[in-house]
């Protein structure tokens, strides 16, 4: 049986290692072969970008060699997929190689697309790539006072990031002793400050307490860099001295080009995680069209379900488990306090007031991630 | 007749049905419709408010077996 995993990020790596552990015997005997195609020889811990943008992590801390994270028996090719020939059970790569498969898993992730909003890419700072996060940190460092506006597009990876960045900037400027010269203004697309009602109930009074102003029902339509104004779809506008944006995302171009899903979101069955209509294709992580958070924990929980099911396909000929929509997200509430939200399709989250203990757990997880990706946690 | 896209946002707490609708609006053409499914009454109630504010059309909301079906038309 040939297993092909496309994408070596959080979802792909956790899935490959999970399978390698479950199928050690079959991999050794040659009954099963596992191949991973990915676009980079380095693996980035993306949640670290938030800390990079605020000067609390450095770029090299975000990376490990992809090969070093994989269990033995996984045949890694840094050679991105270009053509998905699902009817023939084949994927063709950039180098021209064709990989056949019996089971395919797609975990190619998502990309920020600031260029879709007029003026946004040129006039805002972002932290969703290494380059933009470093640039944002330099802008924050040079900032001596004025109005900072946070604005976002939908959908975006890590729905907690907008709140985290505003609270972290607050503490950053307080530590620099210039908070009285900085006005922080937060905008959000729906009628409260966060999509999770309980988080919004805690975050709005927290913003009031810290002097952070906010405007809800604000979906960015355009940015006028000359006038330094952001305008919303809803007809309002706000001026800024420094604009921090969380751009809307799309799935990868290769997904769109191969017509696997509109805007790169692959139609995925919410419980089996099969690509709709394809029982030998699984989809996980940010590239699914599922109505759940685009977060590392989502990719992780999905990888565990798919790992168990592919192993069951090898051994029993049928899948054994369903995904229940589980997501777990930390929420940084400043530089030294955090809370978390855990939920699934049936059970809404009940986040508690932020504590120092949860913050230190997240800081620890920033290191433990590498063990988690290897399948050791 | 206008094309209609269905978004199944049942069991969605984060990002939630309204965020799914806002994202879905980018996938359809002006004049086309979206039917959004929500298992949560509160979120089904927020959608018309946003549609009004963003000047899209709310074509109706219907409850069937604990699932709210909200129908919207993209107007600009
Ligand atoms: C600033 C920021 C903060 C975040 N904070 C958190 C957090 O606190 N908690 C949390 O849970 N999540 C967080 N996330 C989200 C998390 O990083 C992603 O949800 C997670 O990485 C998704 O995993 P994935 O496997 O779907 O995609 P990715 O991890 O992005 O991996 C995609 C992989 O596909 C590869 N690839 C791309 N194109 C091709 C191709 N054509 N062929 C083959 N391979 C290809 C890439 O090289 C990459 O290896 C954050 C993200 C960001 C950007």
């Amino acid at each position: 049986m040939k297993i092909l995993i496309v994408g070596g990020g959080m979802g792909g790596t956790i899935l490959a290692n999970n399978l390698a552990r479950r199928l050690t015997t079959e991999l050794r005997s040659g009954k099963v072969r596992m191949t991973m195609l990915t676009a980079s020889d380095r693996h980035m811990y993306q949640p670290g970008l938030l800390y990079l943008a605020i000067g609390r992590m450095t770029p090299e801390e975000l990376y490990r060699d992809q090969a070093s994270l994989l269990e033995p028996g996984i045949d890694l090719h840094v050679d991105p997929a270009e053509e998905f020939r699902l009817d023939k059970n084949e994927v063709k790569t950039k180098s021209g190689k064709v990989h056949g498969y019996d089971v395919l898993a797609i975990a190619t992730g998502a990309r920020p697309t600031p260029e879709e909003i007029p003026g946004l890419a040129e006039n805002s700072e972002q932290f969703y790539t290494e380059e933009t996060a470093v640039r944002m940190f330099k802008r924050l460092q040079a900032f001596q006072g004025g109005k900072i506006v946070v604005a976002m597009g939908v959908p975006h990876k890590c729905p907690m990031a907008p709140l985290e960045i505003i609270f972290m900037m607050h503490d950053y400027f307080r530590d620099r002793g210039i908070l009285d010269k900085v006005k922080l203004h937060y905008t959000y697309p729906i009628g409260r400050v966060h999509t999770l009602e309980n988080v919004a109930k805690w975050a709005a009074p927290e913003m009031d307490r810290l002097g952070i102003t906010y405007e809800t029902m604000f979906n960015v339509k355009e940015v006028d860099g000359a006038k330094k104004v952001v305008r919303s779809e809803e007809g309002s506008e706000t001026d800024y001295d420094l604009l921090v944006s969380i751009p809307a995302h799309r799935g990868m171009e290769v997904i769109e080009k191969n017509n696997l899903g509109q805007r790169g979101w692959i139609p995925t069955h919410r419980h089996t995680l099969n690509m709709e209509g394809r029982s030998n294709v699984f989809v996980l992580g940010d590239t699914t069209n599922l109505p759940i958070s685009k977060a590392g924990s989502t990719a992780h929980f999905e990888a565990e379900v798919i790992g168990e099911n592919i192993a069951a396909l090898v051994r029993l000929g049928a899948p054994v488990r369903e995904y229940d929509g589980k997501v777990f997200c930390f929420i940084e509430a400043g530089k030294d306090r955090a809370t978390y939200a855990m939920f699934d399709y049936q059970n809404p989250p009940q986040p508690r007031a932020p504590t120092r203990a949860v913050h230190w757990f997240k800081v620890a997880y920033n290191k433990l991630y590498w063990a988690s990706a290897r399948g050791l946690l | 007749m206008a094309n209609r896209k269905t978004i199944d946002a049942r069991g969605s707490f984060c990002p939630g049905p309204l965020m799914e609708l806002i994202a879905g609006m980018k996938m359809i053409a002006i004049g086309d419709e979206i039917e959004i499914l929500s298992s949560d009454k509160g979120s089904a109630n927020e959608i018309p408010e946003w549609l009004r504010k963003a000047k899209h059309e709310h074509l109706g909301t219907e409850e069937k077996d604990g699932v709210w079906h909200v129908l919207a038309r993209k107007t600009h």
Side-chain angles (χ1 to χ4, degrees):
Chain A
M1 168 121 131
K2 282 190 275 184
I3 303 168
L4 180 63
I5 298 174
V6 180
M10 277 206 194
T13 302
I14 294 171
L15 173 61
N17 286 331
N18 182 297
L19 276 169
R21 283 165 192 276
R22 288 177 190 277
L23 298 172
T24 315
T25 323
E26 288 85 349
L27 282 164
R28 275 206 197 116
S29 71
K31 186 180 163 203
V32 168
R33 277 179 26 217
M34 187 164 27
T35 304
M36 172 182 278
L37 304 178
T38 192
S40 169
D41 60 354
R42 292 196 307 166
H43 184 116
M44 184 201 263
Y45 175 59
Q46 297 173 34
L49 290 168
L50 185 69
Y51 301 85
L52 183 60
I54 211 95
R56 280 166 50 199
M57 272 178 117
T58 54
E60 68 281 1
E61 287 178 87
L62 305 182
Y63 293 100
R64 293 283 187 280
D65 282 341
Q66 177 63 15
S68 75
L69 296 175
L70 298 179
E71 288 286 302
I74 302 163
D75 185 19
L76 172 68
H77 298 254
V78 182
D79 185 12
E82 276 194 357
E83 261 181 58
F84 287 83
R85 303 170 178 166
L86 301 186
D87 289 330
K88 290 187 183 164
N89 291 341
E90 283 175 4
V91 172
K92 189 177 166 211
T93 65
K94 190 174 175 193
S95 74
K97 216 167 163 198
V98 175
H99 296 264
Y101 62 82
D102 298 298
V103 175
L104 171 69
I106 308 177
T108 41
R111 64 197 158 114
T113 51
E115 63 281 2
E116 290 190 329
I117 299 284
L120 188 67
E122 315 83 276
N123 298 302
S124 70
E125 298 301 331
Q126 298 145 40
F127 55 93
Y128 272 64
T129 62
E130 180 191 327
E131 188 199 341
T132 56
V134 169
R135 200 180 68 186
M136 174 167 157
F137 176 58
K138 289 183 182 155
R139 279 293 299 276
L140 290 183
Q141 247 190 337
F143 198 71
Q144 295 304 332
K147 181 175 171 190
I148 301 185
V149 172
V150 172
M152 67 218 69
V154 180
H156 52 257
K157 275 196 256 205
C158 193
M160 302 305 171
L163 277 183
E164 294 186 295
I165 198 70
I166 195 98
F167 287 127
M168 287 165 86
M169 284 196 294
H170 172 275
D171 285 9
Y172 170 81
F173 288 115
R174 187 191 57 198
D175 287 355
R176 275 184 51 196
I178 59 164
L179 193 58
D180 56 331
K181 298 194 182 71
V182 179
K183 179 171 166 41
L184 292 166
H185 185 69
Y186 176 88
T187 66
Y188 203 67
I190 67 170
R192 53 178 177 262
V193 298
H194 193 261
T195 186
L196 291 173
E197 208 170 339
N198 289 330
V199 172
K201 270 190 198 147
W202 149 80
E206 188 71 359
M207 288 186 194
D208 294 338
R209 187 177 73 81
L210 300 174
I212 300 168
T213 54
Y214 48 84
E215 178 174 354
T216 57
M217 296 251 185
F218 191 98
N219 284 277
V220 184
K221 183 180 170 197
E222 61 189 10
V223 182
D224 183 336
K227 292 196 177 130
K228 294 200 161 191
V229 165
V230 200
R231 298 195 183 93
S232 77
E233 293 279 355
E234 292 78 8
S236 58
E237 62 175 49
T238 185
D239 58 335
Y240 65 83
D241 295 299
L242 172 59
L243 177 62
V244 172
S245 79
I246 290 135
H249 281 61
R250 297 170 86 123
M252 301 311 275
E253 232 175 315
V254 67
I255 304 299
E256 294 188 44
K257 278 191 181 149
N258 282 270
N259 294 319
L260 300 189
Q262 220 185 338
R263 291 180 75 86
W265 312 125
I266 304 177
T268 306
H269 189 282
R270 58 170 57 214
H271 293 300
T272 66
L273 301 175
N274 278 123
M275 178 174 173
E276 293 289 359
R278 303 266 172 188
S279 60
N280 69 335
V281 181
F282 293 91
V283 191
L284 68 159
D286 294 342
T287 197
T288 75
N289 74 337
L290 295 176
I292 51 178
S293 312
K294 298 204 180 292
S297 68
T298 310
H300 189 141
F301 296 129
E302 290 169 342
E304 286 179 351
V305 171
I306 297 176
E308 195 169 337
N309 282 340
I310 296 180
L313 281 175
V314 170
R315 292 184 172 156
L316 307 169
V320 289
R321 219 177 121 188
E322 291 203 326
Y323 177 59
D324 61 1
K326 189 169 165 195
V327 178
F328 174 99
C329 286
F330 285 111
I331 313 165
E332 289 278 23
K335 70 164 186 171
D336 56 9
R337 286 173 317 131
T339 180
Y340 64 89
M342 191 160 78
F343 48 99
D344 58 39
Y345 292 139
Q346 302 294 333
N347 301 293
Q350 308 283 351
R352 307 222 178 108
T355 62
R356 282 174 193 268
V358 179
H359 165 72
W360 287 111
F361 195 74
K362 172 146 194 195
V363 170
Y365 186 79
N366 288 341
K367 307 267 179 237
L368 287 172
Y369 170 70
W370 303 110
S372 165
R374 287 189 187 98
L376 301 176
L377 266 184
Chain B
M1 216 186 109
N3 290 318
R4 184 179 294 178
K5 180 181 174 67
T6 300
I7 297 178
D8 184 353
R10 286 172 303 145
S12 177
F13 297 109
C14 183
L18 176 52
M19 293 283 242
E20 293 294 334
L21 174 73
I22 295 172
M25 280 289 184
K26 295 181 186 156
M27 304 212 210
I28 63 169
I30 293 169
D32 283 354
E33 298 168 1
I34 290 190
E35 180 186 28
I36 182 124
L37 274 51
S38 169
S39 48
D40 174 53
K41 188 179 177 189
S43 358
N45 286 341
E46 310 169 338
I47 294 176
E49 195 192 337
W50 179 75
L51 289 169
R52 211 170 25 252
K53 218 170 165 204
K55 298 179 188 68
H56 294 294
E57 207 173 329
H58 176 215
L59 300 172
T61 301
E62 212 182 311
E63 193 217 322
K64 285 181 212 154
D65 305 322
V67 177
W68 282 262
H69 297 245
V70 187
L71 197 59
R73 182 183 292 132
K74 178 166 169 161
T75 56
H76 57 90

